[in-house]
Amino acid sequence: MLSLLATHDPNGRVVGLSSVPPDDRPPVNVVRLAFQTMAGIGTLLALLSVVFVLTCVFRRRLPRTRWFYRAVVVAGPVSLVALIAGWTATEVGRQPWIVYETMRTAQAVTRSNNLEIGFVFLVVVYVGLAAAVAWLLRRLARRPPETEVAGSEVAA
Ligand code: HEM
């Protein structure tokens, strides 16, 4: 199965990490934890969809249990955790290469000066944006915009 997955050939040879010189190996445990987090969350999200579809198809109604809707609320933020974990698995798994077998990460580090200025600027912009989003969401939660009457805006 792994031969098929890795090489698309049932007789393909899967070469183990021990064939890579120790200096060229990524921090395996970080990659493993990140991958397991991603795949674990992905599996739970898929299960949630299965519960939803089965309830709709066999009971012809929406799920009614509290835990289902609690899980739906949690699904949003944990999807983001899965996304970051997937990205971590890819980026850390490629180390020590930035371009596999062509350029090492250490060779790619910029020699530019004054990077702190750009970094601080970015942090200020994003903290400002986060504050604006929080302020807007709180305002919306307190005073939702008036909803339009359905069909009132339809052009003749
Ligand atoms: C059973 C579920 C999942 C499996 C089996 C799976 C599998 C994979 C694999 C094989 C990779 C490539 C790793 C590599 O570079 O070698 C990957 C990358 C990634 N995954 Fe998942 N994944 C799952 C669920 C998810 C979920 C639920 C999300 C996000 C909501 C996610 C987000 C990502 C991201 C962002 C990357 C990195 C892509 C990139 O930078 O190229 N994955 N995943």
Side-chain angles (χ1 to χ4, degrees):
M1 291 293 276
L2 190 54
S3 297
L4 267 179
L5 201 63
T7 66
H8 305 150
D9 171 3
N11 301 313
R13 190 150 172 259
V14 180
V15 184
L17 193 65
S18 52
S19 64
V20 178
D23 278 356
D24 286 357
R25 292 180 200 166
V28 179
N29 281 332
V30 177
V31 182
R32 182 172 61 184
L33 186 69
F35 190 83
Q36 286 171 345
T37 303
M38 170 185 68
I41 292 175
T43 309
L44 291 175
L45 291 175
L47 277 178
L48 199 61
S49 318
V50 170
V51 170
F52 179 80
V53 171
L54 288 183
T55 313
C56 288
V57 170
F58 291 107
R59 302 210 169 148
R60 302 209 164 267
R61 61 168 174 79
L62 294 175
R64 284 186 194 143
T65 52
R66 257 167 197 273
W67 72 260
F68 178 82
Y69 290 99
R70 283 198 181 122
V72 170
V73 170
V74 173
V78 293
S79 305
L80 195 70
V81 174
L83 200 140
I84 307 259
W87 176 66
T88 305
T90 306
E91 297 300 324
V92 179
R94 198 188 330 97
Q95 299 310 313
W97 303 99
I98 195 158
V99 182
Y100 186 54
E101 286 186 339
T102 303
M103 188 186 209
R104 285 178 180 266
T105 308
Q107 295 172 290
V109 175
T110 178
R111 289 189 205 93
S112 306
N113 296 319
N114 301 329
L115 288 175
E116 301 84 358
I117 298 171
F119 179 69
V120 169
F121 180 71
L122 269 183
V123 170
V124 169
V125 167
Y126 276 93
V127 168
L129 283 174
V133 169
W135 179 77
L136 273 174
L137 287 179
R138 276 174 67 92
R139 212 178 86 147
L140 275 175
R142 251 183 281 135
R143 198 158 35 89
E146 281 172 31
T147 42
E148 282 168 19
V149 179
S152 66
E153 297 293 313
V154 178

